[in-house]
Amino acid sequence: MDKEKTLQRIVFLREELEKHNHFYYMLNQPQISDYEYDKMMNELILLESEVPDFFDINSPSQRVGSDLNAEFRQVSHRYPMLSLGNTYSEEELREYDKRVKKIIGSDLEYVCELKYDGTAISILYINGELTQAVTRGDGEKGDDVTANVRTIRSIPLKLKTTGVPEEFEIRGEIILPREGFMKMNREREERGEFLFANPRNAAAGTLKLQNSSLVSKRPLDCMFYSLHGRNLPYRTHFDNLMAAGSWGFKVSEHITRCNGIEEVLGFIRRWNEQRNSLPFDIDGIVVKTDSYDIQEELGFTAKSPRWAISYKFQAEQASTRLLSVDFQVGRTGAITPVANLEPVLLAGTTVKRASLHNAEQIQMLDVRLGDTVFVEKGGEIIPKITGVDLNRRPAGSAPLIYINNCPDCGAELFKDEGEAKHYCPNEFGCPTQLKGRIEHFVSRKAMDIAMAEATADLLYTNGLIKDAGDLYFLQKEDLLRLERFAEKSAENLLASIEDSKNNPLSRVIFALGIRFVGETVAKRLSREFGSIEELAAAGFDKLVSVDEIGGKIAASIIQFFQQGFNIEVVRKLSIAGVRLKEEKPEGAMTSGKLNGLTFVVSGVFPNFSRDELINTIEKNGGRVASSVSSGTSYVVAGENMGPAKLEKANKLGIPIISEEDFVKMI
């Protein structure tokens, strides 16, 4: 076959295979047998190997994956992948509806979607071709898993329809349908391999495999639920999803547009009863406002959009016997009672331990050793005990007595008024707290040092480190004296510690483990103060003036930097060369020109993305709010500005400026 005919045959086979992929995976209507499909695929692979000039990353042949292992690189999301707030009752949903209508001032349409129990993914398409796929990660950055996502047959590699935006992101949930999950586990059992606990864990674990040929052998699927981009065809969420379905994406037929909260509640009741009839797992319903203009009006909190919320179905429950209770010490000194149970199957996993939370919970439940207790997951990582079967209580049982002293160091526990938990006060002498702070410091979302919990324990127990600052002064010869370390593992650990010095200031602040300072707060503190030195010197009034920093967080920060132990850790980090100042990106415009001004950004702009505008405002000292209020200084308006924002700005007399006006200001 000459080159021209080979190319024609390759194009024909690619189109045929994609057509049959669509019939099989999207429409569930196979047109040919597996044998015929495999025969065409094998011919395509052979022809492409003979003429490598015709290679195409989006060919159906590339869905078989590669045997080469590859490390995942971190990628920043263009649009943050925020988590949703949760509700657990109809009353909570009605309250949410009231809050939304109070802001909007009218009734509104919602869109109800099934809440898939899988792992979130964001996929970028440019000129109709799958370009990049990124996991949710921490919401701002995720892992690039493009090679693995290409192997999922229900995800289109190329879009063949017209009217598709030149560039857009589509988000969805990668799931493992129940039938595929059970088949996979049967095959693993026959091979003597361990079984996956549930479809969600299997899907998440598969997506993070570093060998895409293995991923291609597992029956992953993907359901899509949102579009993001500048030139989407509609200004409503529902219509854009329907458009995505027409482009070839797998969009659930059950997505429904609802007129008001009563229709939303009807949708929820129906699927609470019918969820087990679905071929995949769901754990609730997602409710979103349909209009993009209203979404802009409602805006975001630090962690989640105000225009969407999830309703979680009641958790599955099981009963089993309470054998004993352990009291665990956390890195902040908080004591958590954990129940040891007779193993019981719950929501697809075997449960042996469950949280009892605190002394008040134990007293309220009146839980006793030997009791038959009710256990549920309810979104918890560790299941929780929710009740006691009093009819099966053993005769002569006695109330469970809460401990008075730390189980690790023996210090007498204390409990602050208004707090639920007891604490060990020996924060600089309790081994578990010290090790816990080190483990937090090296964790992935903090300094991301490649060190297992057991390694941190080994280094601490052998006296090589007493705090996180000591990590930066470890020597290779010290590590080689330990049983677990060989030449290569010692070098890898030291290299990871060295790399961590380049982490941004926000991650250092988070890694320090200041009570009540999570990732989001750490980023705000980093932007506001710019250095550990400035943060440590900030007084209470200065701290609470920062958006979303309340008195509780401010007091905790001040207390942290008054402790000699913590000051010494920061001193060690400084000596070691850890980045303790926020470095300004090269070429960035940074000034105090916008100090004291609050901006609202709305619409689409010719030269800036929305995120770029927000970053520029903040780098020049300004503050960005999600909605217009009497405290707004300016509204920066672009094309398709939200009409509700425009109306409110005019009503309050807030100046509305263009992108060009804004550039002149700075």
Side-chain angles (χ1 to χ4, degrees):
M1 193 184 297
D2 63 30
K3 206 167 184 179
E4 184 61 33
K5 288 184 177 178
T6 300
L7 176 58
Q8 290 175 4
R9 183 63 180 169
I10 286 174
V11 170
F12 170 78
L13 289 170
R14 287 173 177 170
E15 290 179 351
E16 281 295 293
L17 286 165
E18 281 300 340
K19 180 180 78 175
H20 289 296
N21 268 336
H22 183 77
F23 276 111
Y24 187 92
Y25 293 102
M26 301 287 288
L27 305 180
N28 199 24
Q29 298 171 1
Q31 304 291 301
I32 59 175
S33 67
D34 290 349
Y35 172 79
E36 292 172 296
Y37 181 91
D38 291 342
K39 188 177 176 182
M40 281 197 292
M41 179 64 80
N42 291 335
E43 182 187 356
L44 176 61
I45 292 170
L46 177 64
L47 291 177
E48 288 179 335
S49 68
E50 289 176 353
V51 194
D53 293 354
F54 296 158
F55 174 79
D56 184 348
I57 189 65
N58 287 321
S59 167
S61 64
Q62 298 306 299
R63 291 193 188 272
V64 300
S66 165
D67 288 325
L68 297 175
N69 287 340
E71 293 289 332
F72 298 121
R73 66 185 183 92
Q74 289 258 298
V75 175
S76 294
H77 292 297
R78 299 181 179 198
Y79 308 92
M81 292 185 75
L82 300 177
S83 58
L84 296 180
N86 292 325
T87 58
Y88 297 91
S89 69
E90 291 191 3
E91 187 54 39
E92 287 179 316
L93 260 185
R94 291 183 193 277
E95 286 301 318
Y96 169 77
D97 179 59
K98 287 178 185 175
R99 291 197 302 272
V100 170
K101 287 195 287 193
K102 187 175 181 180
I103 296 171
I104 300 304
S106 64
D107 290 335
L108 66 160
E109 286 189 314
Y110 292 107
V111 175
C112 286
E113 306 165 10
L114 305 180
K115 188 174 184 297
Y116 310 106
D117 200 10
T119 187
I121 195 74
S122 182
I123 307 177
L124 173 66
Y125 283 80
I126 298 178
N127 297 323
E129 296 194 6
L130 191 158
T131 304
Q132 189 174 64
V134 183
T135 63
R136 182 181 180 276
D138 64 2
E140 294 199 358
K141 288 183 178 179
D143 288 330
D144 185 335
V145 291
T146 308
N148 287 348
V149 166
R150 287 185 189 281
T151 70
I152 302 173
R153 266 61 172 188
S154 57
I155 297 178
L157 301 176
K158 285 185 176 181
L159 306 178
K160 302 191 184 303
T161 186
T162 57
V164 176
E166 184 179 325
E167 185 173 318
F168 67 93
E169 284 186 29
I170 188 164
R171 289 178 177 169
E173 196 88 356
I174 291 179
I175 58 175
L176 192 56
R178 294 191 195 111
E179 184 180 347
F181 171 74
M182 289 187 288
K183 180 183 177 185
M184 194 169 73
N185 260 356
R186 282 196 301 270
E187 292 171 351
R188 295 178 73 83
E189 189 172 24
E190 288 168 4
R191 296 194 298 266
E193 299 174 351
F194 75 90
L195 304 185
F196 287 110
N198 53 54
R200 180 187 65 247
N201 290 355
T206 298
L207 193 62
K208 299 303 286 290
L209 288 174
Q210 294 181 341
N211 182 326
S212 60
S213 69
L214 295 179
V215 179
S216 72
K217 295 178 174 64
R218 296 186 180 175
L220 295 179
D221 202 349
C222 188
M223 303 297 292
F224 291 96
Y225 53 69
S226 70
L227 277 175
H228 300 265
R230 289 191 176 188
N231 299 304
L232 301 182
Y234 302 101
R235 289 293 294 167
T236 56
H237 171 66
F238 182 86
D239 290 328
N240 279 327
L241 274 185
M242 295 303 102
S246 71
W247 301 340
F249 293 103
K250 201 165 187 178
V251 175
S252 172
E253 62 184 319
H254 305 302
I255 291 174
T256 302
R257 186 184 260 151
C258 296
N259 187 11
I261 194 64
E262 293 307 319
E263 289 188 15
V264 169
L265 294 174
F267 183 93
I268 288 170
R269 291 169 195 143
R270 182 168 78 253
W271 282 108
N272 193 19
E273 294 174 1
Q274 298 179 11
R275 55 178 156 151
N276 290 327
S277 66
L278 293 165
F280 46 78
D281 290 342
I282 63 172
D283 60 358
I285 300 297
V286 176
V287 182
K288 301 175 181 175
T289 58
D290 189 28
S291 163
Y292 285 172
D293 294 330
I294 291 178
Q295 288 185 11
E296 286 185 11
E297 173 84 0
L298 293 171
F300 301 83
T301 68
K303 295 182 179 180
S304 59
R306 291 191 179 93
W307 45 264
I309 199 160
S310 74
Y311 178 92
K312 300 294 286 287
F313 291 138
Q314 187 173 349
E316 291 189 47
Q317 193 177 77
S319 64
T320 187
R321 196 161 65 92
L322 173 62
L323 303 176
S324 62
V325 175
D326 294 333
F327 291 88
Q328 297 181 341
V329 188
R331 66 177 175 85
T332 63
I335 307 296
T336 301
V338 178
N340 297 305
L341 308 167
E342 277 188 354
V344 61
L345 191 66
L346 176 62
T349 59
T350 300
V351 173
K352 299 177 183 178
R353 289 161 70 79
S355 175
L356 280 164
H357 295 293
N358 51 58
E360 290 175 4
Q361 184 78 357
I362 290 173
Q363 186 178 13
M364 183 184 74
L365 294 171
D366 186 25
V367 64
R368 306 180 183 189
L369 298 183
D371 273 347
T372 296
V373 295
F374 299 110
V375 185
E376 67 177 45
K377 281 198 170 174
E380 304 276 335
I381 296 173
I382 299 177
K384 60 184 178 183
I385 291 177
T386 58
V388 176
D389 188 345
L390 296 176
N391 294 324
R392 301 174 67 182
R393 169 164 283 172
S397 67
L400 190 62
I401 298 174
Y402 203 88
I403 59 173
N404 294 315
N405 298 87
C406 175
D408 190 17
C409 69
E412 186 175 347
L413 303 181
F414 75 95
K415 180 174 174 291
D416 280 335
E417 189 177 345
E419 293 254 3
K421 286 186 176 292
H422 285 74
Y423 286 85
C424 168
N426 188 19
E427 57 181 307
F428 306 121
C430 180
T432 303
Q433 291 189 60
L434 293 170
K435 285 187 287 185
R437 281 201 286 274
I438 294 168
E439 289 161 11
H440 171 74
F441 186 88
V442 304
S443 63
R444 184 175 177 185
K445 292 183 178 181
M447 297 302 279
D448 195 19
I449 295 173
M451 177 192 293
E453 186 177 317
T455 304
D457 184 66
L458 183 71
L459 295 175
Y460 181 86
T461 304
N462 283 272
L464 293 183
I465 58 173
K466 290 297 181 187
D467 58 50
D470 291 336
L471 289 166
Y472 294 93
F473 300 94
L474 285 171
Q475 299 297 314
K476 185 177 175 182
E477 51 270 24
D478 295 332
L479 297 176
L480 293 176
R481 286 197 289 269
L482 301 177
E483 190 176 314
R484 290 168 57 95
F485 281 95
E487 188 89 15
K488 187 64 176 174
S489 56
E491 289 174 356
N492 287 343
L493 175 57
L494 293 175
S496 183
I497 291 170
E498 186 64 27
D499 288 345
S500 75
K501 294 178 181 179
N502 297 315
N503 281 324
L505 175 63
S506 61
R507 292 183 73 161
V508 179
I509 294 172
F510 176 61
L512 288 173
I514 305 170
R515 200 170 173 206
F516 309 126
V517 175
E519 292 173 82
T520 303
V521 170
K523 288 171 184 173
R524 289 195 178 279
L525 293 172
S526 174
R527 283 199 299 266
E528 180 69 24
F529 295 100
S531 73
I532 286 287
E533 186 178 6
E534 289 295 321
L535 176 60
F540 185 86
D541 291 343
K542 177 65 175 172
L543 287 165
V544 295
S545 70
V546 179
D547 192 30
E548 297 196 24
I549 305 298
K552 194 175 180 181
I553 297 174
S556 179
I557 293 168
I558 291 169
Q559 184 181 23
F560 181 89
F561 287 109
Q562 288 175 344
Q563 301 285 356
F565 180 94
N566 298 326
I567 294 170
E568 179 62 12
V569 170
V570 172
R571 188 184 72 84
K572 290 176 184 177
L573 299 181
S574 178
I575 292 170
V578 175
R579 184 188 294 178
L580 300 181
K581 284 188 176 182
E582 190 62 74
E583 294 188 5
K584 298 177 179 64
E586 189 176 341
M589 301 180 294
T590 304
S591 72
K593 291 181 179 179
L594 306 181
N595 283 349
L597 299 179
T598 298
F599 293 80
V600 170
V601 178
S602 181
V604 178
F605 301 88
N607 300 310
F608 286 90
S609 71
R610 178 182 166 83
D611 286 343
E612 286 169 341
L613 269 175
I614 290 171
N615 288 335
T616 303
I617 290 167
E618 290 176 342
K619 286 173 185 173
N620 285 275
R623 177 180 175 273
V624 179
S626 58
S627 58
V628 177
S629 69
S630 58
T632 304
S633 308
Y634 295 94
V635 174
V636 186
E639 191 178 338
N640 295 325
M641 176 188 176
K645 282 190 170 74
L646 177 62
E647 183 182 346
K648 198 164 186 179
N650 286 331
K651 185 177 179 181
L652 294 173
I654 308 297
I656 299 173
I657 62 174
S658 66
E659 179 189 69
E660 186 179 353
D661 295 330
F662 170 74
V663 172
K664 288 177 182 176
M665 287 180 72
I666 58 172

